[in-house]
Amino acid sequence: MVQHLQAAGHITGMTGDGVTMRPRCAKPKSASPSAPRTDVAKGAASVVLTEAGLTNIVALVEQGRTIYQRILTWIVNKISRTILKAALWPSPTW
């Protein structure tokens, strides 16, 4: 099911006790281990939620969007400056 959802472009996640999660955490992009939080579950997931509720997921999405926007702004700035330098650079006259 996880592979099917990811193939459709969805981001997947799961919760669990962390003991038997290692094989299943290899596919989801996030995991929320319930107590006890184990290093196995933390190491297998891209994101580990340490508090109950959805507020930390909202904060995670907002932070991801901010980072994406900063990267996009940097790329556009870098490309536009490179084009400007190339356009204003004097041509060799040899």
Side-chain angles (χ1 to χ4, degrees):
M1 177 184 261
V2 171
Q3 291 173 344
H4 177 69
L5 289 170
Q6 287 178 339
H10 297 284
I11 296 176
T12 58
M14 65 176 295
T15 62
D17 62 1
V19 176
T20 58
M21 290 178 62
R22 177 67 177 158
R24 292 181 294 233
C25 281
K27 291 291 178 191
K29 295 293 183 189
S30 66
S32 177
S34 54
R37 293 179 177 95
T38 64
D39 291 334
V40 174
K42 290 179 184 178
S46 299
V47 175
V48 177
L49 306 175
T50 57
E51 298 176 8
L54 298 177
T55 56
N56 50 6
I57 296 174
V58 172
L60 178 70
V61 170
E62 288 174 350
Q63 185 178 17
R65 288 180 178 173
T66 300
I67 292 169
Y68 172 78
Q69 188 61 47
R70 288 181 182 168
I71 291 171
L72 185 62
T73 301
W74 183 86
I75 290 170
V76 169
N77 189 342
K78 190 71 169 173
I79 291 172
S80 63
R81 285 177 180 246
T82 301
I83 291 171
L84 183 62
K85 284 182 182 179
L88 296 178
W89 192 264
S91 314
T93 56
W94 63 73

